[in-house]
Amino acid sequence: MSLLLAACAITPPDPTSPDSYRETAPSKTPAITTPTPGTGLVLPPQAPAQAPVPIDPVRPEVPVDMSGRNTQVDLWERVRRNFGMPDLDNPLVRDSENWYSSRPDYVARMTARSSRYLFHIVEEIERRGMPSELALLPFIESAFNPQAMSSAAASGMWQFIPSTGRDYSLKQNMFRDDRRDVLASTRAALDYLQRLYGMFGDWQLALAAYNWGEGSVQRAVNKNKRDGLPTDYSSLRMPAETAQYVPKLQAVKNIIANPAAFGLQLPALHNHPYFVAVPIERDIDVAVAARIAGLPLDEFKALNPQMNKPVILAAATQQVLLPYDNANQFVRELPRYTGPLASWTAWVVPRTMRAAEAAQEVGMVEEELREINRIPARMLIRSGSTLLVARSEARMSDVALHIADNATMSLAPDVPPLRRITVRAGRRDSVSSIAHRFRLSPQKVADWNDVRVGATFRRGESVVLFVPQGSALARQASDDDDDRRSSTSVPARDVVRTSTAERSNPGPRSTPAAARHAPTVERTAKAPTRASRVASTGAPAARPSSVKAARAAADKPVRSAGRGASSDGGTREARAAAKGSLKVAAPRARTARSAR
């Protein structure tokens, strides 16, 4: 494998393509089949490395002259020369200037982090003909921290939320998150900003839409048009965060333009690439790659922050970024490395199982398997999930592309199988009171009965619940099924009753699947319509010790439990109850509703 830095000169992508960074792929050498004795691992052939050539990932066809005259230009001056957005001047700008100037340590950390990425961003912005103020946007979004994660799940230097990231071809799976990838996220952010500028024709409105969403900005613009008001950034009614967004960028722009005016000093940045791209052709541990390159692990992760796991899968991550000198060392030392390149691989779970079973199958300790895959306690691993497992003689090959690109892990609560029961609501019973009594989620009780969480039940109304098989409630329901002689309709707090339809007509509604295969019961039961909610047993039955009371109950009209119930039918039930012969009517089998 001629792992030259010159091999980074991958086929130049179409500069106008939005996927120019995602689809860059190094040319592959023939497959290597010679194992290293004693390890069982396939390693690159021991070919001598040639002198590397540094490659700019933005323009791989242009050699980098590290000693050229242009490289001695201050990168900050290059940024200043290409400012192109109209200035904003208002009190919010002054507030942001004061905030930054009063925190010189924060500004120093932020600008030091930017030194790794700023040249690449400026190159890409100039290639697209965009104003260089946009290169400063990561100062606002993430303080140039590619590992940043917001409370809204926005991630990376450019702070993409998951859905927008997918819209711009940023892969997000268990092995990598391209929202944190330096090259891919920069390409996606500039694509998005160009699209927003095309929508609004104004960079300040485009930035507002980047923060607030294009739909929100368009509605604000339309409202101002209807009201006969200006539609520029400063005239729109926006949330406080969006109203401060462009002023913050303007404050950073003012500081970069004249740091001395704010009592600040910027670090010197040279006008040449901080990193170059090195192709990866075999799976390799992150720690091993950093060690071969002679780079501290934290610095390696700062340049390659998209890795979610401690292994780089060559099928999906075809290159890594390294500083020039470290790339030179990596290319030179990799052919001489005789240890295993990767100690981890991927394993697709063949069936739903517990973590202990999975650990036994792959020959790992359960705690280690849980930790590396972040599997919480009391959770099942669903069939088809992909786990990161230790390599062994049975699993030595590199991970295939379809797994590396689409790996997911699906978990479910490890709970016993659930059983459907019905209970009778008592006076003043509500969704919340029944959920509290039976230690269930109010939302689930509401979903099972097709009512709102804040709903109340009529006294005697049937309420559907799902409880763990084998629990005290389920056992009591079974006992009630076996002893159907009693016809008394008792409130939920006293007796639990199970439906006969559960046994005679099992299905997705009456018999939920075992927790191993479908343990999450979100909407497993649909309550009958109000027209069909009729008390099964009618009026309360007379106690055996009082025949007179039973006869009185039989003659007393019964209030229907819902629209459509007949008082005559209730009277017949009451009379039957007095004789002790009433059988509890089973609810009709209902069609399962799909989960939300």
Side-chain angles (χ1 to χ4, degrees), residues 62-398:
V62 179
V64 176
D65 182 0
M66 303 294 283
S67 60
R69 185 177 61 181
N70 288 338
T71 64
Q72 306 308 312
V73 175
D74 182 17
L75 185 58
W76 296 117
E77 186 57 37
R78 183 179 174 188
V79 172
R80 296 180 190 113
R81 284 201 311 263
N82 290 285
F83 283 157
M85 289 174 53
D87 286 334
L88 187 68
D89 190 5
N90 62 30
L92 292 177
V93 176
R94 304 284 86 76
D95 290 343
S96 294
E97 288 173 346
N98 293 334
W99 193 92
Y100 286 117
S101 61
S102 64
R103 293 166 173 80
D105 291 344
Y106 175 79
V107 173
R109 290 195 303 273
M110 187 167 59
T111 51
R113 278 196 296 266
S114 73
S115 65
R116 300 185 182 100
Y117 319 110
L118 195 58
F119 176 86
H120 167 71
I121 297 172
V122 170
E123 285 272 296
E124 180 65 11
I125 283 176
E126 288 186 358
R127 187 179 68 81
R128 294 171 181 243
M130 301 169 77
S132 64
E133 288 96 331
L134 299 177
L136 308 178
L137 196 57
F139 282 120
I140 312 304
E141 287 289 345
S142 63
F144 268 99
N145 178 8
Q147 299 281 6
M149 174 72 78
S150 78
S151 58
S155 182
M157 194 162 54
W158 297 91
Q159 289 290 281
F160 276 97
I161 61 173
S163 57
T164 308
R166 286 189 290 270
D167 289 343
Y168 286 86
S169 303
L170 297 178
K171 281 279 187 181
Q172 301 159 58
N173 59 39
M174 66 175 290
F175 288 109
R176 78 179 198 267
D177 187 342
D178 283 349
R179 294 178 298 161
R180 300 195 302 264
D181 185 285
V182 174
L183 304 184
S185 66
T186 298
R187 181 267 309 159
L190 298 184
D191 285 349
Y192 188 24
L193 286 165
Q194 281 185 314
R195 175 175 169 268
L196 294 173
Y197 180 73
M199 291 177 62
F200 298 103
D202 181 287
W203 280 115
Q204 292 180 351
L205 291 181
L207 288 168
Y210 189 88
N211 176 259
W212 191 20
E214 56 264 41
S216 300
V217 173
Q218 189 63 65
R219 285 189 292 271
V221 168
N222 293 342
K223 183 179 185 305
N224 276 25
K225 285 182 179 178
R226 289 194 303 267
D227 296 342
L229 299 174
T231 57
D232 61 289
Y233 175 84
S234 299
S235 300
L236 298 184
R237 185 175 180 180
M238 298 176 288
E241 179 184 325
T242 308
Q244 295 169 1
Y245 191 68
V246 175
K248 284 182 180 179
L249 183 62
Q250 182 68 51
V252 172
K253 173 183 176 180
N254 295 345
I255 290 171
I256 299 302
N258 189 5
F262 299 92
L264 297 172
Q265 187 174 2
L266 302 178
L269 297 184
H270 295 299
N271 189 36
H272 60 70
Y274 182 89
F275 54 76
V276 291
V278 178
I280 295 294
E281 296 192 357
R282 300 302 312 275
D283 291 358
I284 183 171
D285 287 353
V286 171
V288 171
R291 186 162 63 249
I292 293 175
L295 197 64
L297 186 59
D298 289 345
E299 178 69 11
F300 184 92
K301 290 181 177 180
L303 292 174
N304 302 277
Q306 71 273 23
M307 312 300 176
N308 285 335
K309 299 297 182 183
V311 63
I312 304 168
L313 304 184
T317 306
Q318 297 172 336
Q319 61 186 20
V320 293
L321 305 181
L322 296 171
Y324 173 73
D325 290 338
N326 300 96
N328 188 350
Q329 176 174 330
F330 185 86
V331 171
R332 184 179 62 251
E333 297 297 329
L334 182 61
R336 304 174 186 172
Y337 187 77
T338 57
L341 291 177
S343 54
W344 301 98
T345 189
W347 178 64
V348 179
V349 179
R351 65 184 185 280
T352 299
M353 60 177 66
R354 293 183 171 89
E357 299 173 74
Q360 185 175 9
E361 289 221 13
V362 300
M364 292 178 64
V365 177
E366 180 184 352
E367 289 72 17
E368 183 184 18
L369 181 73
R370 285 186 182 277
E371 181 180 359
I372 196 68
N373 291 283
R374 300 175 184 174
I375 303 173
R378 297 183 297 279
M379 296 297 284
L380 293 170
I381 309 165
R382 288 184 183 270
S383 175
S385 295
T386 301
L387 298 182
L388 189 68
V389 300
R391 284 203 176 199
S392 64
E393 292 184 1
R395 281 177 287 276
M396 291 302 300
S397 58
D398 287 350

